[in-house]
Amino acid sequence: MSEPLKLAILISGNGSNLQSIIDAIETGGLNAQIKTVVSSNNMAYGLIRATRHGLSTWVIDHHDYQNRDQYDGALQHYLESVGIDYVVLAGFMRILGPAIIKAFEHRILNIHPSLLPAYKGLNTHQRVLHDKATHHGVSIHLVTAKLDDGPIICQARYPIEAGDRVEDLQAKGHRLEHQMYPQVLRWLSDGKLGVEEGRLFYEKALLERPIAFNP
Ligand code: GRF
């Protein structure tokens, strides 16, 4: 078996996606090692999840830094010192600046609760309901300097049903996210998914459109 994929998982809150990755590793379904869990918030429940599973954690609070450059610089320095293959954003509520994105170019993944490029940014569930959209979804993409804009690896799509509220969409999205993030990381760890100069390859073929995730 090849070397485990070395990950840093960045969170700000509940950490249910973190949990799904931990579970996939612990049950032997993902050949990866979580080298660190970084939180922008010292009250994040995800930190408790990490500690319960014996993982190293680090909190980086923006109140302790004068500006975004200093914050990103400290985060970059820390991640470089840990030594990782991929940075996995899992509900991390800080926007990363261009320097740290460049330092980990094409090695930062994000999960976003919409069918990108639709509904970038925050409050996606409220916005799709307001627009009376018929479908919604989840995307996993590579992070580039433009918000929620990098190459999309994988998407899951689900219907919005009459009477669905924000919490319903959140629950539907999360159910998919918890299978999708471990799956994408599995593709990376077993070499099925590759990134070359920002272009995505799946089983050696250029990925021309996002992989449709069907659980
Ligand atoms: C997820 O819905 C994800 O799409 C978004 O932030 C949320 C994080 O949830 N980026 P959790 O902290 O993993 O439970």
Side-chain angles (χ1 to χ4, degrees), residues 13-18 90-93 110-113 138 174 177-178:
N14 179 25
S16 66
N17 279 284
L18 163 68
F92 187 64
M93 296 306 285
N110 184 39
I111 189 156
H112 181 79
V138 178
H174 262 132
E177 291 184 7
H178 298 158

Side-chain angles (χ1 to χ4, degrees), residues 35-39 46-51 55-59 78:
K35 299 282 289 183
T36 183
V37 173
V38 176
S39 176
L47 287 170
I48 296 176
R49 297 180 190 270
T51 308
L55 300 173
S56 314
T57 60
W58 192 61
V59 174
Y78 172 73

Side-chain angles (χ1 to χ4, degrees), residues 64-133:
D64 298 335
Y65 298 86
Q66 279 172 3
N67 53 44
R68 188 191 302 276
D69 285 354
Q70 282 188 12
Y71 183 94
D72 282 5
L75 178 57
Q76 179 181 334
H77 185 259
Y78 172 73
L79 293 174
E80 283 169 351
S81 75
V82 171
I84 47 164
D85 300 312
Y86 284 90
V87 179
V88 176
L89 306 184
F92 187 64
M93 296 306 285
R94 297 273 311 168
I95 293 173
L96 299 175
I100 186 166
I101 292 175
K102 182 87 190 143
F104 294 96
E105 197 167 28
H106 310 139
R107 294 194 295 136
I108 308 179
L109 304 178
N110 184 39
I111 189 156
H112 181 79
S114 82
L115 291 168
L116 291 172
Y119 300 101
K120 296 177 181 178
L122 295 174
N123 303 322
T124 62
H125 305 311
Q126 284 91 332
R127 285 152 59 209
V128 290
L129 289 175
H130 177 266
D131 290 351
K132 300 195 175 12

